[in-house]
């Protein structure tokens, strides 16, 4: 004899599924390097994560007065494991995307800073040179 699933169990399972679907989409976009789609997906991700957090908080509050907290149904435990794996992958992909953006910004900033260089010029004077630096330059004294 099996009992019908509790309404809160059903809501929890549905919420896990929605969050996992959003995380799978986001991970796909991150793998493809499509950051515009990742940004567009952010409001949906925040909404689904907040819903999941609210459901979990509500379950904790309900279980606070009972001597034995309710056990998650096996489907919800499986969904939680899937969620954990997707979050781990999502963090890794987000970190890679952030690292790539930081590397790009560093290249731009460092290259811009190197546009101005100081040193001795062909005439023997100390000068500050601005503009692109070429491998070959014409000397004014030749």
């Amino acid at each position: 004899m099996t009992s019908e699933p509790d309404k809160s169990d059903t809501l929890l399972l549905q919420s896990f599924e929605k969050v996992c679907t959003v995380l799978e989409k986001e991970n796909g976009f991150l793998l493809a390097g499509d950051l515009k789609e990742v940004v567009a997906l952010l409001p949906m991700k925040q909404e689904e994560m907040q819903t999941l957090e609210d459901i979990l908080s509500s379950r904790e509050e309900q279980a606070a007065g009972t001597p034995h907290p309710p056990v998650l149904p096996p489907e919800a435990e499986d969904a939680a494991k899937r969620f954990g794996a997707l979050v781990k992958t999502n963090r890794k992909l987000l970190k890679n995307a952030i690292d790539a953006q930081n590397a790009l910004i560093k290249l731009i900033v460092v290259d811009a800073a190197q546009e101005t260089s100081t040193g001795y010029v062909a005439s023997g004077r100390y000068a500050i040179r601005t503009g692109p630096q070429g491998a070959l330059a014409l000397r004014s004294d030749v």
Side-chain angles (χ1 to χ4, degrees):
M1 175 161 96
T2 61
S3 63
E4 231 175 88
D6 187 346
K7 183 180 178 186
S8 66
D9 290 345
T10 303
L11 288 175
L12 179 64
L13 186 58
Q14 289 172 346
S15 184
F16 269 128
E17 289 300 320
K18 288 178 181 179
V19 170
C20 288
T21 300
V22 172
L23 286 172
E24 286 172 339
K25 284 181 184 178
E26 183 177 34
N27 290 349
F29 292 141
L30 286 167
L31 282 170
D34 195 349
L35 298 181
K36 283 185 180 182
E37 290 296 329
V38 172
V39 171
L41 203 56
L42 186 60
M44 184 188 305
K45 179 182 174 184
Q46 289 173 327
E47 181 182 325
E48 297 301 338
M49 292 292 278
Q50 185 62 52
T51 301
L52 178 60
E53 186 177 327
D54 292 346
I55 291 170
L56 290 171
S57 294
S58 173
R59 288 176 63 92
E60 284 180 15
E61 289 173 8
Q62 290 173 356
T66 61
H68 301 289
V71 178
L72 286 177
E75 299 87 11
E77 286 184 22
D78 292 343
K81 288 178 185 175
R82 179 175 164 226
F83 170 75
L86 286 169
V87 166
K88 185 177 179 180
T89 301
N90 188 258
R91 280 188 185 145
K92 182 177 146 187
L93 292 171
L94 283 170
K95 183 182 180 319
N96 290 345
I98 290 168
D99 289 346
Q101 290 291 327
N102 286 339
L104 181 62
I105 290 169
K106 184 178 177 183
L107 283 174
I108 292 169
V109 170
V110 169
D111 285 350
Q114 289 179 351
E115 288 290 321
T116 302
S117 63
T118 57
Y120 291 98
V121 293
S123 64
R125 294 181 300 158
Y126 193 73
I128 296 175
R129 187 183 260 180
T130 60
Q133 306 297 315
L136 298 173
L138 295 175
R139 292 178 25 184
S140 61
D141 60 341
V142 177

